[in-house]
Structures are given as C-alpha cells and as structure tokens.
Amino acid sequence: MSTIAIAVNAAISAGAYLMTVRMIPRLRDMFIKANLFGRDLCKKDKPQVPESYGVIIGCVFLISMFLFIPIPFTFDENAATDAVTGGKPLTFPHDKFVELIAALLSICCMIFLGFADDVLDLRWRHKLLLPTIATLPLLMVYYVNYNSTTVMMPNFARALFGTSVNIGIFYYVFMGSLAVFCTNAINILAGINGLEVGQSLIIAGSVLLFNFIELSLGHQVESHQFSIHFMLPFLATSLALWKFNRYPSQVFVGDTYCYFAGMTFAVVGILGHFSKTLLLFFLPQILNFLYSTPQLFHFVPCPRHRLPKYDQKSDLLHISTTEFRLDELNSLGRLMVKVLRTLRLVSWQEHADGRIVTNNLTLINFVLVIFGPVHERVATQMLMGFQVLSTLLALFIRYPLANYFYARET
Ligand code: UD1
Ligand code: MG
C-alpha cells in the first residue's frame, strides 16, 4: 500500500515541478517591483537579480504536501472508516497524522520567518533565533506524541551505559540545534550562482537514496516512507529552481530558500529517526562552519559579504580577503589564526606595517586558495563534486562502519 502513496507523491511532485518551472520566469518583474532583488556581485555590470524566490518554491512545496495529506491514510487499512460504526477505527494512526501536520507547520513557519529575514535583513543573532522558533511546533508535538528521548549506544560504550540511554531534555536541545545548524549551514555556504540549490539537491538526492536503501532492507519502513514523502516534492521544486538559479543566475533564492531547505532536512532527520546519518550528508557544510567559526564569532574581522572577488579582466573568481593586525585580536583569535597558518589552511600576506591579509574563511575561498582562480561555474561544480564525494563517504560510514559500531537490535 505504501508504494501507492509514494507513487501518488511522485505524481504530485512532477506536477509541482512543471508548475514551478512555468511560474518562476513569470514572477520576475513582480519581485523587482517589490524591491526584492540583489546585485549579482560576481558579474561585470552587477545586474539586478530578483531575490527570495525561496518563497515561491516553499509555497509550491506546501501546496503539494497539503494535497498529499490524505493519501497515506486513504491507502492504510488501519485508517479505513469502520463499515459498522461509520467512524474512524481505534487503529487510526493519529500519531502519524499529527506528525505530518506538525512537520508541515514547522516548515511553513520557517518559510515565513525566512521571508521576514529577506525583507527585514535581520542581524546574525536573530538568524539563530528564527529556526529555534520554527522547530517549536515540531518539538511540542514530539513531546505530546512520543516523548521518547533515548539514544542507542555504540557497542564499545554499552558496558558502561547499557544498550540505550535516556538523555531527557538534551534530546530536545539536540533537535533544536540540528534545525539551527541545518538552516544556517546552507545559508553560509553561499554567494556563487547555483550553490545554495546545488548543495540542497545533492543532500536531498542522498537522503532519498538512503531512504530507498533502508526501505529495501526493510529497516524502519514507516520512518523512511515519511522522509520520501517530503523529499520528492522538495527535490522536484528545487530542480525547477535550479534551472533558473544555476550560472548565470536569473533568480536568487534568498535566505527563505536556505532556511526552508535546512528545515525540511532537519524535519525528516528528526522524525525519520536518522539525524546522525543526515549529519554525515552535511559534511561540506560542517567543514565550512568549523572553518568559518573565527569569523562567525568575531575572533577575526568578518565583512558583510565573504563571497569571492570577481575579476572583470579574466572573468574568474579570486579569493576575497579580510585584514587585521595580530595585536587587534584577542588571545583566542591569535591562536586560531596561528593554527590555520601553521596547517597552511589560509592564504597569508604580512605587510611591513604589521597588517595581515588572509582569505575570508569559507569553503568557497578555500577551494580558490588550493586551486587558484577559477570561473564561477567551475567553482560551483567543484563544491557540488565535493558534496557528492561526501555522500559516498557518508554511505561508507553508515553501512560497513556503523554495522560494526552499532549491532542491530531488531
Ligand atoms: C551569507 C554569508 C555571506 C555571503 C552571503 C552570500 C556568512 C556569515 N554570510 O550572508 O558571507 O556573502 O551569504 O549569499 O558567511 N549573491 C551573489 N551571487 C549569488 C548569490 C548571492 O552575488 O549567487 C549576493 C547578492 O548580492 C545577494 C546576496 O549575495 O543579494 C545575498 O546575501 P544574503 O543572503 O543576504 O547574505 P547572508 O545570508 O546574510
Ligand atoms: Mg543568505
């Protein structure tokens, strides 16, 4: 029966793709008129590009999911109306139903808050707060529905802690943090044409691949079906956006899309019970976050934009830089830049007057430090290639290695 629900979901997703592909070019003028545009900073004449298209993608995704709500229950024998009483049977999976609605509520909330961020251009501390607010519906429903806060222990820790440990409130802290991380991690690995959508497409593809592998193995079937129901329309609408956002971008996605994508991943990771595997698919984003920490937490000066610098003559991207003197940094900041320099993870130019110039600490700039100036399209392809490699590594860790560390109980 579940295959019928997946097939209907796939058909709705195909419809969503076709609808989005037609809508995107038609709405360009409307966005520009509403002042929702940004300058494409890596082009010769810095053209105006309509921004915040994530709001359109998010809406089409929500419409697709709203239409899909009854489908899994229509084909579920446990949910069929009782022929004798005419009411819903005792076996009706209320928990699954509420879970679906709460997941959509959280994603909807994130789209709304992301759009507010695009329009109001919020500060960094607010950006951390928004996903926390948006996960509240999910966490509260999780509390009412399950409140299961036990985690499985790896084999080597079982002698000490037992097979599983109840971590209570920390489980909720973890779920909230996952949402904050997923949303912001995509937003800060951004700034060159197509990268936000490109990475999200590969993560979505990886999650789907993982879900189908698990389904074929018969593991936690319901959880993986739940994830597929979200990932297919997400992939379809994002593919439509990719058509217009890849180099040279005709539309920008805005923070709305980054938050929407991150939240959708967090929701399927949490409710699908595969948050650890999900994090493995976020390896480039984790590395970008760790590399960025000195600037994110202001140990090293952080300019408003850290995207690479465009060179008109060669049409190539060069590293963008930040400048400081060692005595301006606090001791932790000095230690951080020293470690980065010793490990040769940054470009380093020391001027006679003591000024130091290094690249802005993003994965995009790091790729340019390693490979030298490249074309914008190539930079995006390189980072997407790295995302694919990370998926392969993640699957290797998840299967051969995890089977070794986590003996299956069921
Ligand atoms: C995050 C990054 C910032 C990066 C920006 C680019 C951190 C802490 N913040 O900020 O360094 O510069 O994303 O998205 O890492 N743009 C392009 N080409 C693109 C995409 C975006 O030129 O392909 C420019 C446009 O001017 C667009 C702007 O980036 O208007 C969007 O930036 P915004 O999303 O507001 O930046 P943040 O998310 O705050
Ligand atoms: Mg952004």
Side-chain angles (χ1 to χ4, degrees), residues 228-241:
I228 291 170
H229 294 159
F230 280 78
M231 282 296 111
L232 283 178
F234 177 80
L235 193 77
T237 45
S238 296
L239 262 180
L241 181 59

Side-chain angles (χ1 to χ4, degrees), residues 51 118 127 187 190 196 254-255 258:
E51 187 146 15
D118 272 333
K127 291 187 190 239
N187 189 29
E196 294 102 320
D255 291 349
C258 302

Side-chain angles (χ1 to χ4, degrees), residues 51 117-118 127 186-188 190-191 196 253-256 258-259 304-305:
E51 187 146 15
D117 181 14
D118 272 333
K127 291 187 190 239
I186 294 176
N187 189 29
I188 62 170
E196 294 102 320
V253 301
D255 291 349
T256 320
C258 302
Y259 290 159
R304 167 69 182 88
H305 279 292

Side-chain angles (χ1 to χ4, degrees), residues 37-43 49 51 117-118 121-122 124 127 186-196 245 249 251-255 258-259 288 292 295-296 302-308 361-362 376:
F37 63 84
R39 294 265 168 204
D40 195 340
L41 302 173
C42 298
K43 301 290 176 303
V49 178
E51 187 146 15
D117 181 14
D118 272 333
D121 205 6
L122 299 177
W124 258 99
K127 291 187 190 239
I186 294 176
N187 189 29
I188 62 170
L189 186 53
I192 53 176
N193 289 182
L195 189 57
E196 294 102 320
N245 180 245
S249 288
V251 304
F252 280 159
V253 301
D255 291 349
C258 302
Y259 290 159
N288 184 52
S292 294
Q295 285 194 308
L296 290 183
C302 182
R304 167 69 182 88
H305 279 292
R306 302 192 297 160
L307 50 83
L361 303 171
T362 66
E376 188 173 1

Side-chain angles (χ1 to χ4, degrees), residues 323-335:
E323 228 181 78
F324 53 87
R325 305 167 77 93
L326 274 182
D327 52 17
E328 285 168 4
L329 307 184
N330 62 23
S331 48
L332 211 54
R334 275 200 296 275
L335 178 71

Side-chain angles (χ1 to χ4, degrees), residues 44-357:
K44 207 171 263 171
D45 35 8
K46 302 201 175 15
Q48 274 185 354
V49 178
E51 187 146 15
S52 304
Y53 257 78
V55 73
I56 304 290
I57 305 305
C59 283
V60 178
F61 171 86
L62 284 178
I63 295 169
S64 312
M65 286 305 293
F66 291 160
L67 292 175
F68 179 72
I69 289 174
I71 306 296
F73 306 99
T74 309
F75 297 110
D76 186 349
E77 282 153 23
N78 294 330
T81 306
D82 195 312
V84 182
T85 62
K88 284 290 165 201
L90 288 174
T91 48
F92 184 87
H94 287 286
D95 51 343
K96 295 281 154 225
F97 187 55
V98 170
E99 206 172 69
L100 184 60
I101 305 287
L104 288 175
L105 187 57
S106 274
I107 294 174
C108 184
C109 193
M110 195 70 262
I111 296 171
F112 165 65
L113 293 173
F115 192 56
D117 181 14
D118 272 333
V119 175
L120 304 172
D121 205 6
L122 299 177
R123 310 183 64 151
W124 258 99
R125 53 174 178 275
H126 299 131
K127 291 187 190 239
L128 296 183
L129 197 65
L130 299 182
T132 316
I133 300 172
T135 33
L136 281 180
L138 191 68
L139 301 190
M140 294 306 122
V141 169
Y142 189 89
Y143 178 74
V144 178
N145 231 1
Y146 288 115
N147 197 21
S148 156
T149 51
T150 43
V151 288
M152 294 282 290
M153 284 287 120
N155 295 347
F156 60 82
R158 284 184 187 174
L160 216 58
F161 300 104
T163 318
S164 57
V165 171
N166 188 351
I167 57 170
I169 182 90
F170 293 107
Y171 198 82
Y172 289 88
V173 175
F174 168 73
M175 291 193 281
S177 312
L178 187 73
V180 174
F181 174 75
C182 290
T183 49
N184 283 291
I186 294 176
N187 189 29
I188 62 170
L189 186 53
I192 53 176
N193 289 182
L195 189 57
E196 294 102 320
V197 187
Q199 61 187 301
S200 306
L201 280 175
I202 296 168
I203 297 174
S206 313
V207 170
L208 270 174
L209 178 65
F210 171 65
N211 293 149
F212 279 113
I213 295 176
E214 288 288 281
L215 271 192
S216 68
L217 294 173
H219 297 160
Q220 296 189 321
V221 171
E222 287 191 348
S223 302
H224 292 289
Q225 276 165 5
F226 175 86
S227 171
I228 291 170
H229 294 159
F230 280 78
M231 282 296 111
L232 283 178
F234 177 80
L235 193 77
T237 45
S238 296
L239 262 180
L241 181 59
W242 166 251
K243 221 169 130 60
F244 297 91
N245 180 245
R246 66 179 183 211
Y247 182 91
S249 288
Q250 299 170 42
V251 304
F252 280 159
V253 301
D255 291 349
T256 320
Y257 178 79
C258 302
Y259 290 159
F260 158 57
M263 194 63 175
T264 310
F265 292 135
V267 160
V268 297
I270 291 169
L271 294 179
H273 310 287
F274 59 89
S275 47
K276 280 177 288 180
T277 308
L278 179 75
L279 280 177
L280 291 177
F281 294 136
F282 269 77
L283 184 66
Q285 288 71 18
I286 293 174
L287 293 178
N288 184 52
F289 172 74
L290 292 176
Y291 191 51
S292 294
T293 39
Q295 285 194 308
L296 290 183
F297 299 104
H298 294 287
F299 291 107
V300 172
C302 182
R304 167 69 182 88
H305 279 292
R306 302 192 297 160
L307 50 83
K309 207 169 71 194
Y310 176 67
D311 176 47
Q312 281 201 18
K313 268 192 215 138
S314 57
D315 194 30
L316 297 181
L317 297 184
H318 292 248
I319 53 167
S320 66
T321 53
T322 181
E323 228 181 78
F324 53 87
R325 305 167 77 93
L326 274 182
D327 52 17
E328 285 168 4
L329 307 184
N330 62 23
S331 48
L332 211 54
R334 275 200 296 275
L335 178 71
M336 284 174 172
V337 292
K338 264 186 201 157
V339 170
L340 286 172
R341 190 191 175 193
T342 316
L343 297 176
R344 294 175 178 273
L345 293 177
V346 282
S347 65
W348 189 273
Q349 258 186 314
E350 214 161 329
H351 291 270
D353 58 1
R355 274 180 311 119
I356 288 165
V357 180

